[in-house]
Amino acid sequence: MTLKTLLNETHRSLGAKMVDFGGWDMPIHYGSQIDEHHLVRRAAGMFDVSHMTVVDLKGARTREFLRQLLANSIDKLKVTGKALYSCMLNAQGGVIDDLIVYFLADDFFRMVVNASTREKDLAWIRQHAAAFDVEVVEREDLAIVAVQGPQARALVAGLVAESDRAALDKLGRFAALDVASVDGVPLFVARTGYTGEDGYEVLLPQAAVVGFWNALLAAGVKPAGLGARDTLRLEAGMNLYGQDMDESVTPYEAALAWTVALDEGRAFIGRDVLEAQKASGNARQMIGLVMDDKGVLRHGQKVLTANGEGEILSGTFSPTLGKAIAFARVPAGEPGDVRVDIRGKEVPVRVVKFPFVRDGQPQPGINA
């Protein structure tokens, strides 16, 4: 049984090529993935991400619960509307999922988790929430549209009630705000994203999503599919769950050490494993690669380093850079001269710091 968002027919009417994405029938592109990628980097594009799962957590002990559930520290969230990116770990320190959580009130937090991990995430959250009397509410009544790119915020502002525009304009990065549309539809607007560009992710009632999408179209925002979303997020140095990390990988092995808070007195799930790993050093590391030769780096290709073999995780042709880029997981230590086995031929690649692209521009050292 393939799942569909309420925008499914709208995508088809816009000429989308649809594919199965984690059990959902989703648009991969609307004619040209590369054009959609450049559109987001240079102007604005919109993505239907209603397949993602919104979970509301309510109860007096919700913050206490999240202190235990998440590897990052929920205590960083002191201002209403602020958001935190974190991994949710199993007892072995492996990543069950990566997610964003918003602080809305002392007894009310909102989470957005990945579509492909919905069932296991909800089961895990509910299992651990019970001891804290936290109510776990899956918000199936909400759809999500992401509008991303240098012009995204200005174009969304035109669809928001005039009385809310000044407050929305002041919204900081990685924060969210409740506003209304010009038609009076409640919008939860988050200044987060998965493309490396500025913009908003708009949560709104399912019943209003087709009208909102069409209003964005009329305002000049063009649709973009999951293909462009993937090349954009890899250029931006952002992990994809299931490809760059999973339950057998710790945050330290996925270049996500910055999301782990070993704050005093907080016994989060998997902490002891992470502390031991930090003390003894990681066996594996995640690195960024650029290939200056022609060709494409793809998931599963063998990577040869001075310390042994690894493999390509996410790999793609970068439309912004005009060359192949990838994440790879390789043995720890200085990797030396790195090569990738492409159909039996060892092709040289460069190890680089990521993100590869920020604010539409190649980062220092990415272009040889």
Side-chain angles (χ1 to χ4, degrees), residues 19-37:
V19 295
D20 182 287
F21 182 81
W24 289 81
D25 187 43
M26 298 297 287
I28 191 84
H29 63 71
Y30 298 82
S32 168
Q33 178 176 323
I34 299 233
D35 287 353
E36 290 160 26
H37 178 106

Side-chain angles (χ1 to χ4, degrees), residues 23 36-37 72 74 81 93 116 120 144 157 163 174 207 214 223 296 313 355 365:
E36 290 160 26
H37 178 106
N72 209 340
I74 200 72
S116 59
K120 71 167 184 176
I144 313 178
S163 56
F174 241 68
N214 288 336
V296 180
L313 305 169

Side-chain angles (χ1 to χ4, degrees), residues 298-331:
R298 296 193 190 282
H299 178 70
Q301 288 170 336
K302 191 192 295 180
V303 179
L304 307 155
T305 79
N307 303 308
E309 290 180 4
E311 71 165 349
I312 299 288
L313 305 169
S314 290
T316 194
F317 175 81
S318 159
T320 305
L321 302 173
K323 56 183 73 175
I325 59 172
F327 288 150
R329 187 160 292 112
V330 299

Side-chain angles (χ1 to χ4, degrees), residues 150-167:
Q151 297 170 16
R153 293 178 66 217
L155 289 163
V156 171
L159 305 185
V160 169
E162 212 165 313
S163 56
D164 285 332
R165 283 177 199 168

Side-chain angles (χ1 to χ4, degrees), residues 283-364:
R284 304 180 292 176
Q285 61 180 332
M286 191 170 104
I287 57 173
L289 300 175
V290 170
M291 185 166 74
D292 297 312
D293 291 11
K294 280 197 164 68
V296 180
L297 297 171
R298 296 193 190 282
H299 178 70
Q301 288 170 336
K302 191 192 295 180
V303 179
L304 307 155
T305 79
N307 303 308
E309 290 180 4
E311 71 165 349
I312 299 288
L313 305 169
S314 290
T316 194
F317 175 81
S318 159
T320 305
L321 302 173
K323 56 183 73 175
I325 59 172
F327 288 150
R329 187 160 292 112
V330 299
E334 190 52 51
D337 291 332
V338 178
R339 302 165 318 285
V340 177
D341 185 331
I342 301 177
R343 293 188 296 279
K345 185 184 172 196
E346 291 184 12
V347 181
V349 290
R350 285 185 295 120
V351 178
V352 296
K353 285 189 174 150
F354 50 86
F356 304 92
V357 175
R358 179 170 276 158
D359 295 325
Q361 299 303 312
Q363 288 298 280

